[in-house]
Amino acid sequence: MLKPRFPWEFVQIGNCGSPIELDEGWLLLTHGVGPVRRYSIGAVLLDKDDPSKVLRRSAEPLVRPEAPEREGYVPNVVYTCGGMRFNDRVILPYAVSDTFCTVATMKISALLDSLEDCRTPDARSR
């Protein structure tokens, strides 16, 4: 359904767990693989009534391996098996370089604001 569009996902793109239902649509967490096999985590907002329609998506990753986190058994990787909604936040457990796990939290409103609108004709042609 999704094709790579941004450099951080040019090598590969896939989903990370089940979609999360929001008032605005279905939030789907994604993983992208970019140059040097660097895995990052992004998001896509799908239409609530027709999930084949992409409304918004991450132009930049929400989470990416940072310099101190790049070393480990599998270097340059952050990954998740999904997130969950808790009140006005998304809770995102994720692992880093097969070395340790941590958790990120994001306000849903801030997360949605960070996504690029895909509904305009200019956005669809990119």
Side-chain angles (χ1 to χ4, degrees), residues 21-92:
E21 185 175 6
L22 304 176
D23 294 338
E24 298 81 358
W26 293 102
L27 179 67
L28 181 64
L29 297 169
T30 63
H31 73 269
V33 182
V36 195
R37 305 282 309 159
R38 184 175 184 189
Y39 281 68
S40 299
I41 300 170
V44 176
L45 183 67
L46 306 174
D47 185 89
K48 202 163 193 175
D49 296 321
D50 181 359
S52 69
K53 293 181 184 173
V54 177
L55 304 178
R56 303 178 72 82
R57 76 188 281 182
S58 299
E60 293 291 329
L62 301 173
V63 180
R64 68 176 91 207
E66 298 301 332
E69 303 168 335
R70 289 187 187 161
E71 299 303 319
Y73 183 70
V74 180
N76 252 2
V77 173
V78 294
Y79 55 93
T80 185
C81 291
M84 61 201 95
R85 179 182 184 171
F86 182 75
N87 296 327
D88 68 340
R89 294 186 177 270
V90 169
I91 300 170
L92 179 66

